[in-house]
Amino acid sequence: VPELPEVEVVRRGLERWVSGRTLSDVEVHHPRAIRRHTPGAQDFRDRLIGTTLSAPARRGKYLWLPADGPTGQGLAIIAHLGMSGQLLVVDPETPPERHLRVRLAFADGGRDLRFIDQRTFGGLFLDDLDAEGLPLQLAHISRDPLDSLFDDERWASAVRAKRTGIKRALLDQTSISGIGNIYADESLWRAKLHGERPTAALTRPVLRGLLQHIRDVLGEALAQGGTSFDSLYVNVNGESGYFDRSLAAYGQEGRPCQRCGAAIRRESFMNRSSFSCPHCQPRPRAAQSS
Ligand SMILES: [Zn+2]
C-alpha cells in the first residue's frame, strides 16, 4: 500500500497538472471504484461536472481535491490509492487503459485525470469539507509527522499510555498517519528498536529520536519519488520512485545489516512481515517467550 511519500508525490503532481481546471465530463467505468460514494455514479458525475479543482491536500495516505462549483463550495474528491490505484494525467486522445476506472475530462481540452486500478482496492468518493478544510470522513485520521501541526509530545504521551508494541503504534493511523509497513521497518531499524518493544517502556527521548528517524526516512523517500516495491506505485506521469534502492531493512531478508553485518531477519507480523536486524534490534524478552 502506498504510504505518505508515494501519496505526497502524487499530490504534488496533481497540484501541477489539475489545480484551477474545470471538469467538463466524468466517466465512471467500474462501480467498484466509487463504492464509497454511496449515492452512485450518476450523483458522482452530476455533482462534479462544472466544478473547478483547487490545490490538492493530503492527510496520511489519503489525498483530496477540493472541487468548488456553481452549486457551492466545500466539496472534495477523495482518492484512496489502495493496493494498486494510480492517478495519471494523460492526453485525452489516449485510448482507455485496461484498468481505467474513472476518467475526469476538463473544459480546457487538456490532459485528462484518470484513475486506474488493477486490483480495485482503491477508489474515489465525494465528501464535504469541514471548517478547517478537512473531509468529514477523514476526521479520525491523525496528522502526519511531516505536518507542521503534528504534536510530538502529545503523540509520545498517547503512545506511552498504550499497551502495544511500537510498530503497531506506528501503523495506528488515528495517532500518527502516513506510515505503513515499509517506513515503519526502516524507521525502527534506524532507531535500533524491535517493533515488539512495549510502548509503555519507551522513554520520551527514545520516542523523540524515533520521530526524527521517521521524518528523515519519509523526507529521503519523498526526495527519491517514493518506493516502488510494486511497479504499480507511480507518479501522475506514470514514473516510479527509487527509494527501494535505499532500503536498509524492509524486504532485505538475509542481506547484511548496513550497520553490523548481521543477516536481516524476517518475522511474521499481522499477516505480513517485519524486517529487522537481529543484532541491532533485539526482541524484547517478554515477546521472545510468546
Ligand atoms: Zn545490525
Side-chain angles (χ1 to χ4, degrees):
V1 176
E3 302 178 29
L4 188 158
E6 292 76 40
V7 178
E8 176 62 13
V9 164
V10 172
R11 192 199 67 78
R12 291 180 181 182
L14 293 176
E15 185 163 42
R16 180 175 169 204
W17 290 101
V18 307
S19 288
R21 299 176 67 202
T22 300
L23 288 168
S24 60
D25 197 12
V26 175
E27 298 169 1
V28 176
H29 291 254
H30 197 301
R32 220 175 119 71
I34 60 150
R35 66 194 176 283
R36 285 183 69 175
H37 186 71
T38 47
Q42 188 64 46
D43 181 81
F44 185 84
R45 190 169 183 274
D46 290 347
R47 289 179 71 189
L48 283 179
I49 291 175
T51 61
T52 299
L53 305 180
S54 54
R58 179 187 54 74
R59 178 165 280 200
K61 304 168 192 175
Y62 283 87
L63 63 86
W64 64 93
L65 286 153
D68 294 328
T71 54
Q73 301 205 324
L75 182 70
I77 309 171
I78 304 177
H80 189 231
L81 301 176
M83 300 288 286
S84 58
Q86 304 176 334
L87 282 166
L88 300 182
V89 288
V90 294
D91 188 288
E93 302 299 320
T94 307
E97 294 77 6
R98 183 163 168 224
H99 301 289
L100 176 63
R101 305 305 183 201
V102 180
R103 173 175 172 254
L104 303 175
F106 294 90
D108 56 23
R111 295 185 187 210
D112 289 348
L113 175 60
R114 298 187 185 183
F115 181 69
I116 293 156
D117 194 2
Q118 183 178 319
R119 300 174 200 153
T120 63
F121 289 122
L124 304 180
F125 56 99
L126 302 183
D127 197 5
D128 294 316
L129 301 175
D130 67 14
E132 293 176 17
L134 185 68
L136 301 178
Q137 294 189 51
L138 302 188
H140 65 289
I141 307 284
S142 161
R143 291 185 187 278
D144 63 61
L146 298 188
D147 186 325
S148 60
L149 294 177
F150 184 85
D151 187 334
D152 294 16
E153 294 306 317
R154 199 174 140 199
W155 176 75
S157 301
V159 159
R160 296 180 77 222
K162 283 180 187 165
R163 284 190 198 173
T164 188
I166 185 60
K167 183 167 176 182
R168 279 174 195 264
L170 292 183
L171 300 182
D172 174 8
Q173 304 296 305
T174 64
S175 68
I176 186 169
S177 71
I179 304 167
N181 219 21
I182 296 175
Y183 299 112
D185 281 2
E186 291 300 299
S187 305
L188 291 167
W189 179 83
R190 290 187 185 203
K192 301 185 188 175
L193 292 172
H194 190 279
E196 302 284 343
R197 288 277 293 273
T199 55
L202 296 175
T203 64
R204 284 179 179 274
V206 164
L207 289 169
R208 280 187 210 116
L210 175 59
L211 274 177
Q212 189 54 53
H213 287 302
I214 290 168
R215 291 186 172 118
D216 289 346
V217 168
L218 295 175
E220 289 165 29
L222 191 49
Q224 296 180 39
T227 299
S228 318
F229 230 76
D230 188 315
S231 61
L232 296 167
Y233 300 171
V234 294
N235 68 15
V236 296
N237 298 310
E239 296 152 352
S240 300
Y242 51 92
F243 189 70
D244 43 300
R245 295 177 206 160
S246 305
L247 295 171
Y250 184 84
Q252 306 302 306
E253 184 183 11
R255 298 205 182 126
C257 168
Q258 292 172 20
R259 234 174 353 228
C260 75
I264 296 290
R265 75 182 149 201
R266 180 165 67 89
E267 296 169 291
S268 60
F269 173 79
M270 295 171 75
N271 296 323
R272 300 174 68 189
S273 296
S274 282
F275 298 89
S276 59
C277 172
H279 175 71
C280 301
Q281 298 166 272
R283 285 182 66 83
R285 257 170 295 173
Q288 271 169 351
S289 57
S290 65

